């Protein structure tokens, strides 16, 4: 890059120093020998805080040309870090003193003054030294250079330039109608368009979307992937981030199997990845997107494509790539090219994101001037447009239009075309958002950011000294702001995101001093001790990486390591020197630790430690001395026992571990700060019973309580779920072998009755429950006003259902494996004026004895009050069910999916004569079914599988079906005196007159 450098991150400096000042004052009150000489320094620091904030803000928002000021800023950050380390050491000492008194549950609430009498002379001298350094740094603020910076801040209003809220971003494709239609014709062909059909006798076709970075290849692929026809036409859908480096065929095969499995209700094949892929796709049509193809996939494609040939004919691979050569390498059947957008279309994209529905003519000319700097890339038009949307004001737009960074947009270097846009976006972020964003630059290409894990790292790295601020409440807000500014892009996976390479590469330049990724191609032997956040992404960790004795590193993430031998030794050499490490993650390393890293004792400041998938089987007692640890990852690890003192990790907030690992934590209930615990398996022995949940009232998001058959006696005071107000999703799970005795059934009912959750619950799942009835609280319409999802699964003794129709916000209801239910009727609907007022999806699965589904009584004049929003009904493997009630067949219903219901449509005249207003009907029935033509007038898609289909009462009637999809249908006939006319695209089968 040519030109000045934009620094990133003020390290939350004023918050840290404010916290430091407050705590030092508390210490000085109990140490009068320091008081006289330190109080004046403390006062000067406190008085300088407003100026410090202004100076840091103005510097972080613009390119620095004054090297002396840049040096001052770096020195200031170093002292801030030293102050943080000092406070951490004091906090650790305080916790240890509290634990000596065996008051584990009160560790967090003891004041700092409690431990001041335990501070050594060395501790007090360190405190005084930090104060002196701070005073020395702020003494420079009075110089002329700093006055000019403060004046600049006043002129620009930096301190009040806070980003305004933006509406959530929505994927949009503008100006690609032709390319979109081309892809749809190729992937979802019809008999009217044989020239575009690519599904020949080959097992699978390969279609490429080719174009430079930032032109919208991934967005267009997402539109095709989410097309309803993709779900209808293909048995399997999958998406793989092909840009991830350093992977072999087995890795990619596993990614494909995992992606196919995300939408399957049944578990897909396990075992060796390649054989699992073969078994998964065997005789099935798949649609697979390989996004952002890189060299590693090109090298492996020959052998991988051989495996994919086991699929059924008509399968499709859609790949996105920047290389035109891939059309040859991947032997593509067809390709679609995306080029830079024309100026006119770019203006349309820009206006969509900048104005929304509030178009202002006075700003259009400024906007067009800005669009000229965006190189025809819709990604940049989206990002800059959303920045301008914060304030539809001529002055705001003019400032951005005249920003000096646009001078670099004239550079023809294709690698840096996005640099001016990204730099300007960073200037207009608050300090903490800019810091969070810069942190993301160290992750490798194609990395899937998991929202929760990323914010854990942010908090652990540079937000721990925010007293009085609930960062757990702010973390999602900060991430969402960056997402709404288009830095992150959504993926098909919930809560997983990517940063496009076009955005990430400029970020690496901008955040270069603070954040760095050491790679095989990026000088891995350079000195790294000056960086604060590191990713080590090299194949051999034995490469000499000099972190140095006086390093400033706060984060170390390990990636790759494929060629590393004696990995434990290699990790130990890299982390040889004690330091102020806050975040340490081994979970993505291909070089496995195999045993617990004994060098962790050198890093008492650790907040985030992830040892997942590293083959560790034993954890020593030394882990329990990491008293500041907030996040611990132990996924994929297998232990026989855990240290008895793990309950002394009093600051632990999130434990990511399998249920079997959690079951080994003795008296986990002492970890009262715990917020994330995905599953708690109930044990019989002391320290593992359900009573351990009593004081874990900070648990948030999701909790699964399993092994509930181990509960022998319980009352509401044992688990107190009603006090867990942050809990949104609750799963209550019994074992499969509970038994069917009356005593066992009564015990289940007593347990469930005592597990009444808080009123903020949004999702409830009850699995393998063996009671004959459900508690009244489940249908409490006054209490559970936010409950949106209910799943009752494998409750094999349940005979009656509660009045769930009363719940006001219920959107999805799934009843699966209710083996003894025979009748559903008024007890299910309740007595409310409106029945299921919000329900959108209703599923009945695997209910072999369910015979009767009664209608709602006195329904004639009140149909509009029942199921008013029901869109989809699925009935699967309910073999003796004879019909559906009229109340579920209202005009709002869009999709009826029936499979394995032999009696449902197997009688004549048809029991489904009231099927009137569907847009989609799926039928899978081993037998003969009869569909009345006069009831199918609104049908657009008809999906028939494994059945003999007879269309009744045609008599020349025209049914304007858009698609008929059939599979294994031995007969497909129309009955009637005159031929039935179907305007339809027919797949595989033809319709003949009866």
């Amino acid at each position: 890059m040519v030109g000045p450098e934009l620094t990133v991150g003020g390290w939350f400096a004023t918050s840290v120093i404010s916290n430091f000042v407050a705590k030092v004052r508390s210490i000085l009150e109990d140490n009068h020998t320091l008081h006289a000489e330190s109080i004046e320094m403390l006062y000067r620091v406190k008085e300088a805080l407003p100026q410090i904030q202004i100076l840091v803000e103005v510097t972080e928002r613009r390119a620095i040309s004054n090297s002396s000021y840049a040096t001052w800023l770096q020195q200031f950050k170093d002292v801030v870090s030293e102050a943080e380390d000092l406070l951490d050491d004091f906090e650790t000492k305080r916790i240890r003193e509290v634990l000596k008194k065996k008051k584990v549950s009160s560790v967090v609430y003891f004041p700092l003054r409690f431990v001041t009498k335990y501070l050594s002379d060395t501790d007090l001298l360190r405190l005084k030294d930090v104060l002196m350094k701070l005073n020395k740094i702020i003494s420079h603020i009075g110089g002329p250079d700093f006055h000019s910076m403060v004046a600049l801040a006043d002129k620009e209003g930096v301190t009040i330039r806070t980003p305004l809220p933006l509406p959530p971003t929505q994927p949009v494709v503008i100006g690609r109608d032709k390319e979109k239609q081309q892809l749809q014709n190729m992937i979802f062909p019809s008999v009217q368009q044989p020239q575009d059909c690519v599904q020949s006798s080959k097992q699978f076709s390969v279609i490429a979307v080719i174009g430079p970075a930032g032109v919208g290849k991934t967005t267009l692929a997402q539109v095709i992937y989410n097309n309803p026809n993709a779900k209808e036409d293909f048995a399997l859908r999958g998406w793989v981030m092909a840009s991830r480096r350093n992977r072999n065929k087995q890795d990619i095969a596993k990614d494909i199997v995992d992606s196919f499995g995300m939408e399957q209700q049944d578990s897909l094949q396990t075992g060796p990845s390649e054989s699992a892929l073969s078994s998964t796709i065997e005789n099935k049509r798949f649609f697979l997107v390989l996004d952002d193809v890189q060299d590693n996939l090109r090298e492996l494609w020959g052998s991988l494509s051989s495996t994919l040939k086991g699929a059924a004919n008509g399968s499709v691979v859609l790949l996105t790539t920047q290389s035109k050569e891939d059309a040859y390498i991947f032997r593509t059947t067809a390709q679609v090219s995306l080029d830079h957008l024309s100026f006119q279309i770019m203006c349309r994209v820009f206006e969509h994101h900048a104005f929304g529905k509030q178009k202002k003519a006075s700003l259009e000319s400024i906007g067009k001037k800005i669009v000229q700097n965006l190189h025809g890339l819709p990604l940049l038009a989206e990002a800059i447009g959303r920045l301008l949307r914060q304030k539809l004001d001529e002055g705001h737009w003019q400032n951005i239009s005249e920003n000096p960074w646009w001078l670099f947009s004239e550079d023809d270097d294709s690698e840096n075309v996005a640099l001016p846009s990204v730099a300007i976006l960073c200037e207009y972020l608050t300090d903490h958002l800019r810091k969070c964003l810069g942190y993301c630059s160290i992750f490798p290409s194609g990395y899937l950011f998991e929202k929760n894990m990323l914010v854990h790292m942010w908090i652990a790295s540079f937000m721990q000294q925010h007293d009085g601020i609930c960062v757990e409440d702010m973390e999602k807000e900060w991430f969402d702001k960056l997402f709404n500014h288009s830095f992150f892009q959504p993926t098909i996976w919930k809560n997983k995101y990517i940063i496009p390479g076009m955005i990430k590469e400029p970020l690496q330049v901008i955040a270069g001093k603070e954040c760095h990724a050491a790679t095989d191609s990026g000088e891995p032997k350079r000195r790294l001790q000056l960086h604060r956040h590191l990713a080590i992404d090299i194949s051999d960790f034995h490469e000499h990486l000099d972190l140095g004795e006086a390093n400033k590193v706060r984060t170390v993430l390990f990636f790759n390591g494929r060629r590393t031998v004696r990995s434990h030794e290699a990790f130990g050499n890299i982390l040889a020197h004690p330091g102020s490490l806050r975040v340490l993650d081994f979970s993505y390393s291909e070089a496995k630790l195999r045993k617990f890293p004994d060098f962790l004792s050198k890093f008492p400041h650790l907040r985030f430690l992830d040892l997942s998938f590293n083959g560790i089987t034993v954890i020593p007692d030394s882990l329990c001395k990491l008293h500041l640890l907030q996040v611990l990852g132990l996924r994929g690890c297998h232990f026989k026992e855990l240290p008895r003192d793990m309950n002394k990790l009093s600051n632990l907030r999130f434990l990511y571990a399998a249920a079997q690992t959690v079951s080994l934590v003795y008296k986990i209930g002492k970890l009262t700060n715990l917020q994330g615990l995905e599953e708690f398996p109930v044990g019989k022995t002391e320290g593992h019973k359900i009573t351990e949940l009593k004081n874990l009232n900070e648990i948030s998001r999701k909790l699964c309580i399993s092994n509930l058959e181990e509960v022998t006696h319980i009352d509401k005071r044992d688990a107190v779920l009603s006090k867990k107000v942050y809990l949104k999703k609750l799963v209550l799970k019994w074992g499969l072998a509970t038994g069917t005795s009356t005593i066992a059934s009564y015990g289940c009912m007593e347990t469930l009755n005592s597990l009444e959750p808080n009123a903020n619950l949004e999702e409830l799942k009850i699995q393998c429950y063996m009671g004959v009835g459900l508690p009244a609280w489940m249908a409490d319409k006054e209490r559970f006003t936010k409950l949106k999802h209910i799943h009752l699964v494998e409750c094999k003794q349940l005979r009656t259902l509660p009045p769930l129709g009363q719940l006001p916000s219920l959107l999805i209801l799934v009843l699966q494996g209710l083996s003894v239910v025979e009748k559903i009727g008024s007890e299910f609907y309740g007595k409310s004026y409106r029945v299921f007022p919000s329900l959108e999806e209703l599923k009945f699965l695997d209910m072999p004895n369910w015979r009767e589904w009664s209608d709602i009584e006195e329904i004639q004049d009140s149909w509009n009050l029942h199921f008013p929003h029901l869109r989809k009904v699925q009935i699967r493997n309910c073999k003796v069910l004879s019909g559906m009630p009229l109340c579920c067949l209202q005009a709002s219903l869009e999709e009826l999916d029936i499979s394995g219901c032999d009696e449902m449509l197997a009688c004549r005249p048809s029991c489904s004569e009231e099927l009137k207003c569907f847009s989609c009907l799926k039928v899978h029935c081993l037998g003969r079914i009869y569909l009345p033509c006069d009831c199918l007038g609104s049908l657009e898609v008809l999906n028939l599988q494994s059945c003999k289909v007879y269309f009744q009462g045609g008599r020349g009637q025209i049914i304007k079906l858009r698609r008929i999809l059939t599979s294994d249908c031995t007969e497909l006939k129309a009955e009637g005196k005159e031929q039935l006319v179907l305007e339809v695209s027919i797949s595989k089968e033809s319709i003949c007159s009866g």
Side-chain angles (χ1 to χ4, degrees):
M1 177 186 123
V2 179
E5 180 178 288
L6 183 73
T7 63
V8 175
W11 279 67
F12 301 86
T14 53
S15 295
V16 174
I17 298 303
S18 296
N19 190 23
F20 178 77
V21 168
K23 292 192 174 183
V24 170
R25 183 186 295 114
S26 176
I27 293 172
L28 292 178
E29 289 177 2
D30 286 338
N31 291 271
H32 298 289
T33 57
L34 280 178
H35 188 273
E37 53 187 323
S38 300
I39 192 67
E40 187 176 347
M41 290 190 293
L42 193 66
Y43 177 79
R44 284 200 298 267
V45 172
K46 183 179 179 181
E47 289 296 305
L49 279 176
Q51 285 181 300
I52 290 174
Q53 181 176 5
I54 293 173
L55 290 170
V56 170
E57 276 288 301
V58 73
T59 304
E60 302 298 352
R61 288 189 183 279
R62 61 175 44 250
I64 294 179
S65 56
N66 189 323
S67 60
S68 63
Y69 189 81
T71 302
W72 176 90
L73 182 63
Q74 189 60 52
Q75 291 173 346
F76 175 69
K77 290 180 181 180
D78 291 343
V79 178
V80 170
S81 298
E82 194 172 342
E84 281 187 306
D85 294 344
L86 183 62
L87 292 177
D88 275 1
D89 290 339
F90 288 174
E91 175 70 2
T92 301
K93 182 167 286 192
R94 181 182 69 81
I95 292 173
R96 287 174 180 165
E97 293 301 328
V98 174
L99 291 175
K100 286 180 183 178
K101 298 181 178 294
K102 298 184 179 180
K103 296 183 178 181
V104 179
S105 60
S106 302
V107 162
V108 211
Y109 304 107
F110 272 76
L112 182 62
R113 292 183 60 187
F114 171 83
V115 81
T116 53
K117 60 183 177 180
Y118 298 103
L119 297 179
S120 66
D121 291 341
T122 302
D123 293 330
L124 297 175
L125 286 173
R126 286 180 62 199
L127 185 152
K128 182 179 178 181
D129 183 54
V130 171
L131 266 179
M132 291 176 65
K133 289 178 180 177
L134 278 171
N135 267 265
K136 183 178 179 180
I137 286 175
I138 64 175
S139 66
H140 293 289
I141 291 179
D145 290 336
F146 296 90
H147 280 306
S148 64
M149 294 299 285
V150 172
L152 181 62
D154 292 338
K155 178 181 178 181
E156 295 187 349
V158 170
T159 56
I160 60 172
R161 193 191 293 177
T162 303
L164 299 176
L166 285 170
T169 182
Q170 298 293 336
V172 62
V173 178
I174 297 174
R176 300 295 190 191
D177 295 340
K178 177 183 176 182
E179 293 86 353
K180 176 182 172 182
Q181 190 61 53
Q182 280 182 309
L183 286 173
Q184 289 177 340
N185 293 343
M186 294 171 183
I187 298 171
F188 316 118
S190 65
V191 294
Q192 285 87 358
Q193 297 162 327
Q195 69 277 9
D196 295 321
C197 181
V198 297
Q199 297 175 6
S200 62
S201 59
K202 294 175 60 177
Q203 277 85 357
F204 69 93
S205 304
V206 181
I207 303 171
V209 179
I210 304 173
V215 296
K217 299 185 298 297
T218 298
T219 302
L220 182 58
Q222 286 180 347
V223 169
I224 300 300
Y225 184 91
N226 291 320
N227 188 305
N229 292 333
K231 196 170 184 179
E232 296 291 341
D233 289 12
F234 298 96
L236 300 170
R237 287 192 308 162
W239 186 294
V240 172
M241 298 300 301
S243 57
R244 291 173 58 191
R245 294 174 290 121
N246 304 308
R247 295 184 302 167
N248 56 29
K249 181 183 175 182
Q250 296 295 332
D251 297 328
I252 297 174
K254 182 179 183 303
D255 286 348
I256 296 173
V257 172
D258 290 345
S259 69
F260 283 153
M262 290 188 66
E263 295 184 351
Q264 303 302 304
Q265 294 183 355
D266 302 321
S267 298
L268 295 180
Q269 299 292 327
T270 58
S273 300
E274 191 171 352
S275 59
L277 177 58
S278 298
S279 301
T280 298
I281 65 174
E282 186 176 5
N283 296 324
K284 294 179 183 177
R285 294 179 71 222
F286 69 77
F287 177 41
L288 174 64
V289 178
L290 300 175
D291 189 27
D292 195 12
V293 168
Q294 302 289 332
D295 289 339
N296 63 307
L297 185 59
R298 296 182 182 109
E299 296 168 2
L300 299 169
W301 179 246
S303 58
L304 185 64
S305 62
S306 298
T307 305
L308 295 176
K309 288 180 181 178
N313 291 343
S315 297
V316 175
V317 174
L318 177 65
L319 59 91
T320 70
T321 176
Q322 296 182 42
S323 173
K324 293 181 179 180
E325 294 179 2
D326 284 340
Y328 171 76
I329 295 172
F330 288 86
R331 298 181 181 179
T332 57
T333 313
Q335 54 187 282
V336 172
S337 296
L338 297 186
D339 204 350
H340 297 88
L341 293 177
S342 67
F343 178 76
Q344 289 75 17
I345 296 178
M346 276 290 288
C347 288
R348 286 173 51 198
V349 177
F350 174 81
E351 289 173 0
H352 172 83
H353 293 287
F355 293 114
K357 297 180 180 180
Q358 307 178 55
K359 206 164 185 180
K360 293 186 70 173
S362 62
L363 299 176
E364 289 185 15
S365 60
I366 304 175
K368 289 180 178 179
K369 181 179 177 183
I370 293 173
V371 169
Q372 291 174 345
N373 296 316
L374 302 180
H375 301 277
L377 298 171
L379 178 60
L380 299 184
E382 175 185 329
I384 294 295
R386 294 186 68 78
L387 171 64
L388 290 162
R389 190 170 180 170
Q390 289 183 107
K391 195 174 182 182
L392 298 181
D393 172 81
E394 191 169 340
H396 173 61
W397 282 48
Q398 200 67 48
N399 284 339
I400 292 176
S401 173
E402 296 173 356
N403 193 293
W405 278 104
W406 292 126
L407 297 175
F408 300 101
S409 68
E410 300 171 2
D411 193 340
D412 292 331
D413 185 351
S414 60
E415 294 183 1
N416 286 322
V417 293
L419 178 59
S421 299
V422 175
I424 292 170
L425 290 167
C426 287
E427 283 189 8
Y428 281 83
L429 292 177
T430 57
D431 180 54
H432 59 273
L433 289 178
R434 192 165 50 254
K435 183 64 180 175
C436 293
L437 181 62
Y439 190 89
C440 298
S441 67
I442 64 176
F443 291 84
S445 298
Y447 182 85
L448 282 175
F449 288 92
E450 189 176 347
K451 185 174 180 178
N452 294 336
M453 280 296 185
L454 179 59
V455 294
H456 292 337
M457 291 181 179
W458 287 345
I459 292 168
S461 295
F462 40 76
M463 291 159 61
Q464 61 268 20
Q465 296 298 344
H466 275 236
D467 277 7
I469 298 177
C470 185
V471 291
E472 305 299 347
D473 292 339
M474 298 172 66
E475 57 185 23
K476 285 186 177 179
E477 177 187 341
W478 290 352
F479 184 95
D480 291 343
K481 283 182 178 179
L482 291 174
F483 173 71
N484 285 333
H485 279 79
S486 303
F487 289 109
F488 291 97
Q489 296 291 315
T491 67
I492 63 162
W493 301 284
K494 186 177 180 180
N495 287 328
K496 291 192 176 181
Y497 305 82
I498 60 169
I499 295 181
M502 174 159 284
I503 300 289
K504 183 174 173 292
E505 290 171 11
L507 282 180
Q508 289 176 322
V509 176
I510 291 170
K513 279 195 172 180
E514 294 278 320
C515 310
H516 178 68
T519 65
D520 285 322
S521 59
E523 304 179 37
K525 296 182 180 181
R526 63 183 290 181
R527 292 172 61 85
L528 303 174
Q529 67 267 35
L530 297 179
H531 299 287
R532 301 189 189 276
H533 307 290
L534 291 175
I536 299 177
D537 185 8
I538 60 178
S539 54
D540 187 358
F541 292 144
H542 285 286
E543 292 268 2
H544 179 62
L545 296 169
D546 184 10
L547 296 188
E549 293 188 25
N551 69 76
K552 303 176 181 180
V553 178
R554 297 297 183 96
T555 300
V556 176
L557 313 177
F558 288 98
F559 296 93
N560 196 352
R562 184 182 297 276
R563 298 204 307 268
T564 304
V565 183
R566 303 188 310 278
S567 56
H568 192 277
E569 175 186 321
F571 288 127
N573 290 337
I574 293 172
L575 301 170
H577 303 291
S580 302
L581 207 58
R582 261 70 172 183
V583 175
L584 185 55
D585 190 347
F586 298 95
S587 65
Y588 282 90
S589 168
E590 296 182 52
K592 305 305 178 185
L593 279 162
R594 305 300 176 191
K595 64 177 182 177
F596 186 84
D598 47 17
F599 47 80
L600 290 186
S601 59
K602 301 174 183 176
F603 307 107
H605 298 163
L606 270 177
R607 256 81 171 183
F608 180 107
L609 175 62
D610 200 342
L611 302 169
S612 299
F613 313 114
N614 267 267
I616 296 173
T617 56
V618 177
I619 289 184
D621 292 338
S622 58
L623 173 71
C624 307
K625 296 180 181 179
L626 299 176
H627 296 299
L628 301 182
L629 197 64
Q630 296 173 352
V631 181
L632 177 60
L634 298 174
R635 294 162 297 170
C637 298
H638 303 283
F639 306 101
K640 293 183 178 179
E641 63 178 355
L642 292 176
R644 196 172 179 84
D645 283 346
M646 271 192 71
N647 56 42
K648 292 183 178 180
L649 293 172
S650 55
N651 280 294
L652 194 65
R653 297 181 183 181
F654 296 90
L655 176 59
Y656 291 95
Q660 189 275 336
T661 299
V662 174
S663 70
L664 300 175
V665 181
Y666 178 69
K667 290 194 174 181
I668 197 173
K670 291 185 176 182
L671 301 177
T672 54
N673 274 319
L674 209 57
Q675 297 176 26
L677 182 68
E678 293 189 351
E679 183 169 351
F680 175 77
V682 178
K684 289 183 177 179
T685 59
E686 190 64 30
H688 303 279
K689 296 182 178 180
I690 197 169
T691 50
E692 292 300 317
L693 293 174
K694 183 175 182 179
N695 294 317
L696 298 183
N697 293 329
E698 299 298 313
I699 293 289
S700 61
R701 302 188 184 105
K702 173 187 174 181
L703 174 64
C704 172
I705 307 175
S706 58
N707 294 353
L708 280 168
E709 70 277 7
E710 302 291 353
V711 178
T712 54
H713 175 74
I714 187 175
D715 62 37
K716 291 185 178 181
R717 293 172 295 178
D718 288 339
V720 201
L721 295 187
S722 60
K723 290 187 177 180
K724 295 167 179 43
V725 296
Y726 306 111
L727 195 61
K728 302 298 183 184
K729 179 179 179 180
L730 176 64
V731 179
L732 302 173
K733 186 162 60 175
W734 281 257
L736 292 173
T738 304
T740 59
S741 68
T742 303
I743 296 176
S745 179
Y746 177 78
C748 286
M749 293 171 68
E750 181 185 32
T751 298
L752 183 57
N753 190 55
S754 299
L755 293 175
E756 181 178 351
N758 76 86
N760 293 324
L761 199 71
E762 296 178 0
E763 186 169 346
L764 174 65
K765 181 177 182 179
I766 298 176
Q767 186 171 343
C768 299
Y769 169 71
M770 299 303 288
V772 297
L774 292 167
W777 59 255
M778 271 194 66
D780 188 342
K781 63 180 180 180
E782 303 296 333
R783 178 174 176 80
F784 294 109
T785 58
K786 300 178 181 179
L787 191 58
K788 298 177 182 178
H789 303 253
I790 292 180
H791 299 245
L792 302 179
V793 181
E794 302 297 331
C795 302
K796 294 187 177 298
Q797 298 301 311
L798 187 63
R799 298 184 181 278
T800 59
L801 297 169
L804 300 177
Q806 301 178 144
L807 294 173
S809 302
L810 190 62
L811 297 177
I812 298 175
L813 175 60
V814 179
L815 306 178
Q816 181 176 2
L818 309 187
S819 303
V820 299
V821 170
E822 296 183 359
K823 179 181 178 181
I824 293 177
S826 58
E827 80 291 342
F828 179 56
Y829 305 126
K831 298 180 180 180
S832 296
Y833 179 63
R834 302 181 69 188
V835 175
F836 290 107
S838 302
L839 195 69
E840 296 180 357
E841 292 189 23
L842 179 59
K843 297 183 181 183
F844 299 95
L845 312 174
D846 307 318
M847 297 172 60
N849 291 302
W850 182 30
R851 295 179 179 275
E852 183 179 346
W853 186 1
S854 302
D855 217 329
I856 298 176
E857 297 177 3
E858 301 177 359
I859 194 173
Q860 290 81 358
D861 299 324
S862 57
W863 283 6
N864 62 319
L865 301 179
H866 308 303
F867 296 96
H869 300 290
L870 189 62
R871 295 184 298 101
K872 177 179 179 180
V873 174
Q874 182 181 26
I875 307 173
R876 188 182 72 184
N877 296 334
C878 301
K879 295 183 180 297
V880 297
L881 180 65
S882 59
M884 289 180 62
L886 298 179
C887 61
C888 286
L889 301 176
Q890 303 304 304
S892 63
L893 194 64
E894 297 175 358
E895 181 176 331
L896 176 62
D897 184 350
I898 304 172
S899 63
C901 303
D902 297 345
E903 296 295 323
M904 190 84 165
L905 296 170
C907 56
R908 186 192 297 207
S910 173
C911 64
S912 61
E913 292 179 355
E914 301 298 331
L915 306 181
K916 292 182 178 180
C917 299
F918 305 104
S919 62
C920 178
L921 174 63
K922 298 181 184 178
V923 180
H924 177 198
C925 182
L926 297 177
R928 181 176 293 186
I929 66 169
Y930 298 87
L931 297 176
C933 296
D934 57 351
C935 296
L936 302 178
S938 300
L939 202 62
E940 295 181 4
V941 179
L942 179 60
N943 189 333
L944 305 171
Q945 299 180 22
S946 305
C947 47
K948 300 178 181 180
V949 184
Y950 288 79
F951 292 92
Q952 292 182 313
R955 296 205 172 186
Q957 179 177 348
I958 296 178
I959 301 177
K960 296 184 178 180
L961 278 169
R962 181 170 53 85
R963 303 172 69 79
I964 286 185
L965 306 171
T966 67
S967 175
D968 300 325
C969 293
T970 56
E971 295 183 37
L972 192 60
K973 296 184 177 181
E975 292 187 336
K977 294 183 180 179
E978 299 178 20
Q979 183 175 351
L980 173 67
V981 180
L982 293 172
E983 295 182 356
V984 65
S985 304
I986 302 173
S987 169
K988 294 187 180 179
E989 305 285 349
S990 61
I991 295 179
C992 55
S993 60

